[in-house]
Amino acid sequence: KDIEAIARFTVNDMYPAIDPGTEAIGELIELQLAQAKDIALAAFAADSKARLTLIGVIAFGLLVWGVAAFYTVFGVVRPINRSVETMEHLAEAIAGAGGDGKTRLANLAAITVDGTGRKDEIGNMARTLLTFKENGLEGQRMRAELEKDQAGRQQRAVQIETLISDFEHSSMEVVTSVATTSAQLEAS
């Protein structure tokens, strides 16, 4: 009997008294679930936006890095390497002992100096190399003239020695001829 009374009390008295509160709590729960859903959607949207922003920043950073790498390789490293090669060729052509003066002069004149029109340090270096080249050309011209003068002096010295030798030989013949004639005159 008590169980039936409790069941009747629960169904007839307690549920009708609790139902208005349960409905209000249900509405609050539904409201909070709706707000949580809105917050979750906003968080997902913010997350997507943050990811896109991060991807954009990374892509921009890679682009900047690529441009910097391109400039470094083509604007700095290659011109410096060309300047180093030019320096090596200039040093070889100026200090080298190979060939005659005309050949050394032609080798030095054939060297090109790139980058003299640049307005940066590489341009300064190229203009300095051009000055070295011009000074080297002048030095090679003077060296070629000196070698030509030395060759001329050496040739004159050989000619003078030949003339002296010829003179000595002919004067010996004359002295021998005079001595022979004198001996013949004395003997007669």
Side-chain angles (χ1 to χ4, degrees):
K1 288 189 181 181
D2 285 334
I3 291 182
E4 283 180 27
I6 290 176
R8 265 189 310 229
F9 172 74
T10 303
V11 171
N12 293 338
D13 293 332
M14 192 166 100
Y15 282 151
I18 293 176
D19 279 342
T22 304
E23 286 178 21
I25 291 174
E27 288 175 10
L28 284 175
I29 290 173
E30 288 298 320
L31 180 65
Q32 286 190 347
L33 286 174
Q35 286 178 346
K37 184 178 180 183
D38 290 343
I39 291 172
L41 289 175
F44 284 131
D47 178 56
S48 295
K49 187 176 180 181
R51 284 177 193 242
L52 287 175
T53 302
L54 182 62
I55 290 170
V57 167
I58 289 171
F60 181 73
L62 288 173
L63 178 68
V64 168
W65 178 83
V67 168
F70 181 81
Y71 174 76
T72 300
V73 168
F74 291 100
V76 176
V77 173
R78 283 192 177 175
I80 287 176
N81 285 340
R82 282 194 303 266
S83 292
V84 167
E85 287 175 11
T86 302
M87 284 184 237
E88 290 171 350
H89 292 302
L90 284 173
E92 185 178 309
I94 291 172
D100 62 353
K102 288 181 182 180
T103 303
R104 287 190 311 268
L105 197 59
N107 289 343
L108 187 57
I111 295 171
T112 58
V113 179
D114 296 330
T116 55
R118 291 179 63 144
K119 304 291 184 208
D120 56 4
E121 291 80 6
I122 293 171
N124 291 339
M125 187 168 57
R127 287 185 290 282
T128 302
L129 287 174
L130 188 59
T131 302
F132 284 143
K133 177 183 175 182
E134 290 167 356
N135 291 340
L137 284 169
E138 185 59 31
Q140 288 299 331
R141 281 188 199 103
M142 290 190 301
R143 183 176 172 185
E145 277 184 43
L146 181 63
E147 288 174 353
K148 183 179 175 184
D149 289 346
Q150 285 176 341
R153 274 189 246 124
Q154 196 172 26
Q155 186 178 7
R156 279 192 298 276
V158 168
Q159 286 175 346
I160 290 171
E161 276 189 40
T162 304
L163 289 173
I164 290 172
S165 175
D166 289 347
F167 176 74
E168 284 178 351
H169 182 65
S170 60
S171 61
M172 286 304 280
E173 285 178 3
V174 169
V175 169
T176 305
S177 171
V178 169
T180 306
T181 305
S182 171
Q184 288 175 352
L185 282 175
E186 277 184 19
S188 28

